[in-house]
Amino acid sequence: MGIREFPSGGASRGKTIAIGMRRSPDVSPRRLSDISPQLRQLKYLVVDEAIKEDLKWSRSVEDLTSGPVGLTSIEERILRITGYYGYQPWAASYKREERPRDSPAPATAAAGAETQAAAGAEAGGRTGHLCWRCSRAQLKKAFWGLAVVLYVCSSWAGSTQLAKFTFKTFDAPFTLTWFATNWNFLVFPLYYVGHVCKSAEKQSMKQRYRECCRFFGDNGLTLKVFFTKAAPFGVLWTLTNYLYLHAIKKINTTDVSVLFCCNKAFVFLLSWIVLRDRFMGVRIVAAILAIAGIVMMTYADGFHSHSVIGIALVVGSASMSALYKVLFKLLLGSAKFGEAALFLSILGVFNILFITCIPVILYFTKVEYWSPFDAIPWGNLCGFSVLLLTFNIVLNFGIAVTYPTLMSLGIVLSVPVNAVVDHYTSKIVFNGVRVIAIIIIGLGFLLLLLPEEWDVWLIKLLTRLKVRKKEETAEGSADLGSGFQSKNRRTRPSFAR
């Protein structure tokens, strides 16, 4: 039979070399150097379709296109096609599993097959163990994510409801803000305790403090750095919390919590303008939804003065929160866990040193006046401060155990929790406009949680689904074809010698 050769480099096509089919199983294989001149000439072999069809069931041809990696050398091409000098591809590593052989395999082939089976089993065991470890790690991270979501939701909703309840007997939102912010001083000591318990390399608190101070520059935390990089954030922190608490006095907690979710949209807009972040159409849509939700929420109560003031206070709080985050990224960048803990403690120190005078002034001017001191609900104040402190700790350090998106979900999930509590404790009316506004703002918040490469991931997912569908269709066709061939094989004679 003829085998056509197509050399590379633009040589003439159509040159035919005749190779005789000769097998002598009783003669031991000779060296390939005996046919080296022919091997140098043969680079690419293509079997004629007519010949392949005629000898379709021959053992010397059936393995031409089989194997996991195909033919890799010219010697294998010749020997596997012709069976030259006793070469038996079906008795070695090229043994196929589609149909059994008539002749028994030699002992060496069986040993090779056992070795390959053992190696395959070992590789499969390693792959399975790796997949089990990956799935176990992902399951653990998802479990921690669920725990973090529940805690963020409960702490944020709990602090909001407790502040609403506290104002019934203690009408001093700025004093409550000042009191709760002072507790931030405990964040770095708590972080150091966790560092000592978990870290293998122990450091003294002074050494850890100096290492975390490098976050502010080479000179550490100087007086200039304190007033230029820490004090502005202390003011923004106080304004954010004060406006939020003051809004709770004006409107119900459901409206306050859902309107505060608009801070995500404000963060995107400020980042796009100030930080020159990537433009994303889906986030522009989310910002538009947030603004539409604010307008509809204002319309829900008929544009009364108290509701308009309350909504303006919440929007101002969300704006201050967004400005805090954008300026932090602009001036300080990203912070590690120890650096974030130190920064929150510095905010507490700033609050104690420079904000303490404001509650005193408000008290003596009777803007925020309480009397007597024994009537102060210290339990409510301490409970609110603990909830707010743990909320900030989990929000800043929860990324170590779970995904950031899950932590953000805890904030938006506090909206239905507050709605349920308000339904049983206040006279809130969930009319159609308010429900639609809540849904629109929640949808905008969820759209802002999409990653920047969400469109690329979506295209890849759709492409994989299409490829998998084509593979399944091809496998189904191959199964039908193999069944038809096995049916014809019983009537067609074999040409193997």
Side-chain angles (χ1 to χ4, degrees), residues 136-155:
R136 188 176 181 182
Q138 292 176 355
L139 186 63
K140 184 178 179 181
K141 202 167 186 179
F143 173 77
W144 277 109
L146 180 62
V148 168
V149 166
L150 293 177
Y151 191 81
V152 168
C153 175
S154 59
S155 60

Side-chain angles (χ1 to χ4, degrees), residues 7-187:
S8 59
S12 61
R13 302 176 183 268
K15 181 179 179 182
T16 304
I17 301 175
I19 301 178
M21 289 287 296
R22 183 161 63 92
R23 253 183 92 204
S24 63
D26 297 331
V27 181
S28 60
R30 297 183 184 179
R31 295 173 299 175
L32 293 177
S33 59
D34 296 339
I35 56 173
S36 57
Q38 291 81 359
L39 293 180
R40 294 191 192 99
Q41 298 177 4
L42 297 178
K43 294 183 179 179
Y44 297 95
L45 299 177
V46 177
V47 182
D48 289 345
E49 294 298 331
I51 298 174
K52 183 187 289 187
E53 184 65 23
D54 292 338
L55 299 180
K56 194 172 186 179
W57 310 110
S58 175
R59 288 180 179 175
S60 59
V61 179
E62 65 183 358
D63 289 313
L64 179 62
T65 57
S66 65
V69 294
L71 300 178
T72 57
S73 63
I74 198 65
E75 294 89 346
E76 291 179 355
R77 291 174 184 265
I78 295 176
L79 294 179
R80 294 183 67 182
I81 293 173
T82 62
Y84 193 78
Y85 291 116
Y87 184 80
Q88 298 178 349
W90 59 88
S93 60
Y94 298 92
K95 182 178 179 180
R96 298 185 64 183
E97 298 178 0
E98 283 76 13
R99 56 193 179 98
R101 302 300 178 188
D102 298 332
S103 60
T108 56
E114 292 178 0
T115 305
Q116 288 186 357
E122 183 179 359
R126 292 177 181 174
T127 305
H129 183 62
L130 180 61
C131 294
W132 167 249
R133 288 181 60 186
C134 293
S135 60
R136 188 176 181 182
Q138 292 176 355
L139 186 63
K140 184 178 179 181
K141 202 167 186 179
F143 173 77
W144 277 109
L146 180 62
V148 168
V149 166
L150 293 177
Y151 191 81
V152 168
C153 175
S154 59
S155 60
W156 186 242
S159 61
T160 303
Q161 293 294 333
L162 189 56
K164 184 78 171 181
F165 181 76
T166 303
F167 291 147
K168 295 179 180 180
T169 56
F170 185 76
D171 189 9
F174 194 92
T175 304
L176 182 58
T177 301
W178 169 82
F179 183 80
T181 307
N182 290 337
W183 289 59
N184 284 355
F185 176 77
L186 300 175
V187 177

Side-chain angles (χ1 to χ4, degrees), residues 250-266:
K250 302 292 184 180
I251 56 179
N252 56 75
T253 56
T254 303
D255 295 348
V256 172
S257 58
V258 71
L259 288 171
F260 190 77
C261 292
C262 295
N263 74 323
K264 274 280 185 181
F266 299 155

Side-chain angles (χ1 to χ4, degrees), residues 4 8 25 40 63 75 92 124 148 151 168 202 208 249 307 315 320 368 382 384 391 406 408 433 436 485:
R4 201 174 298 167
S8 59
R40 294 191 192 99
D63 289 313
E75 294 89 346
V148 168
Y151 191 81
K168 295 179 180 180
K202 310 297 181 182
R208 196 62 188 167
K249 290 177 55 181
S307 63
V315 172
M320 293 297 105
E368 291 186 357
C382 293
F384 172 79
F391 170 78
L406 293 178
S408 299
V433 178
I436 293 175
Q485 291 177 1

Side-chain angles (χ1 to χ4, degrees), residues 21 77 112 199 208 275 349 411 491:
M21 289 287 296
R77 291 174 184 265
S199 180
R208 196 62 188 167
L275 302 179
V349 173
I411 299 176
T491 59

Side-chain angles (χ1 to χ4, degrees), residues 10 61 67 107 127 151 171 175 190 209 226 242 258 262 278 293 368 380 400 440 444-445 458:
V61 179
T127 305
Y151 191 81
D171 189 9
T175 304
L190 292 175
Y209 169 77
F226 179 81
Y242 169 69
V258 71
C262 295
R278 175 187 173 188
E368 291 186 357
N380 293 345
I440 287 176
F445 186 90
L458 182 61

Side-chain angles (χ1 to χ4, degrees), residues 183-193 195 208-209 212 215-216 328 335-349 389 392-393 396-397:
W183 289 59
N184 284 355
F185 176 77
L186 300 175
V187 177
F188 186 75
L190 292 175
Y191 161 77
Y192 180 73
V193 172
H195 167 74
R208 196 62 188 167
Y209 169 77
C212 293
F215 172 67
F216 297 100
F328 188 91
K336 299 178 181 178
F337 296 129
E339 297 166 351
L342 179 62
F343 189 79
L344 291 176
S345 294
I346 291 173
L347 294 183
V349 173
L389 175 67
N392 289 313
I393 290 176
N396 283 277
F397 302 104

